[in-house]
Amino acid sequence: MTPGFFLISMIFVGISLLVSWRLRSKFKEYSAVPTTSGMTGKQIAEKMLKDNGIYDVQVVSVDGFLSDHYDPSNKTVNLSPDVYSGANVSAAAVAAHECGHAVQHARAYQWLNLRSRLVPAVQFSSNLVQWVLLGGILLINVFPTLLLAGVILFGVTTVFSLVTLPVEFDASRRALAWLDNTNLMRREEHDKAKDALWWAAMTYVVAAVSSVVTLLHYLMIYLGARNRD
């Protein structure tokens, strides 16, 4: 790892930690703001699913903080305890966002379908990429093709990170539009929900940009070694 890339990596680590801290701070802040409707995250999720004509998705509670996610394999909206039982802006925003993914699934949203198709390749790549890259760096002068294989594997995870961006932004768009149309929130509550979801999206943006920069770094090392041959 070159000194320049190490510095860039540390900058991205710092940005990632800052964004994660800000997200947690926003979630905590808006968790103290009750919604006008008084509905819990579970109730919000169930209503959004029903309003979108989705009746085969179950809303369940899972352990963890901000562990919320939609699982297309078993059609479940999984909400963390604070979101599942919370009747506040944070809970409403997160619950509606995860249901946004369920709506994407029901509507065959192309970016979600692409991300789902990439999952097996990403799982395969993730298990091997760090070892292949390490071996490629160590053997760069005698077997540069190994590093190329690592670059390709890392490229798969990078593509996945990039494809995730439109999926996440669209889910938030659907969530906020639904919350606005149903009048479950006052305008100031809606603005806070939008702010919370924006910071959540920024975690994916930082991860994607960091992945692209890392991919380019390894690609430059490979090209440099090939040009020396």
Side-chain angles (χ1 to χ4, degrees), residues 6 8 19 55 62 78 89 102 111 126 152 165 167 202 206:
F6 178 78
I8 293 174
V19 171
Y55 300 98
V62 293
N78 300 269
V89 168
W111 289 105
S126 299
I152 293 172
L165 295 181
V167 174
M202 287 305 100
V206 172

Side-chain angles (χ1 to χ4, degrees), residues 94-198:
V94 173
H97 172 86
E98 299 307 332
C99 285
H101 289 308
V103 175
Q104 290 174 337
H105 191 195
R107 305 290 188 270
Y109 180 57
Q110 59 181 354
W111 289 105
L112 180 65
N113 290 342
L114 177 57
R115 188 175 72 168
S116 298
R117 288 196 293 269
L118 286 172
V119 168
V122 171
Q123 292 174 336
F124 174 79
S125 299
S126 299
N127 291 330
L128 297 175
V129 63
Q130 60 180 340
W131 303 109
V132 177
L133 285 174
L134 177 60
I137 294 295
L138 294 175
L139 301 174
I140 187 65
N141 293 321
V142 296
F143 189 36
T145 303
L146 182 60
L147 180 57
L148 177 60
V151 169
I152 293 172
L153 289 173
F154 195 86
V156 173
T157 63
T158 299
V159 169
F160 185 81
S161 295
L162 293 173
V163 170
T164 293
L165 295 181
V167 174
E168 294 300 324
F169 278 104
D170 180 76
S172 291
R173 180 190 63 79
R174 293 174 189 266
L176 292 169
W178 178 80
L179 288 170
D180 188 41
N181 292 335
T182 53
N183 295 317
L184 291 176
M185 291 181 167
R186 298 191 303 270
R187 174 49 54 185
E188 56 268 30
E189 295 170 12
H190 188 274
D191 290 343
K192 288 179 172 62
K194 183 178 181 179
D195 186 41
L197 292 180
W198 187 87

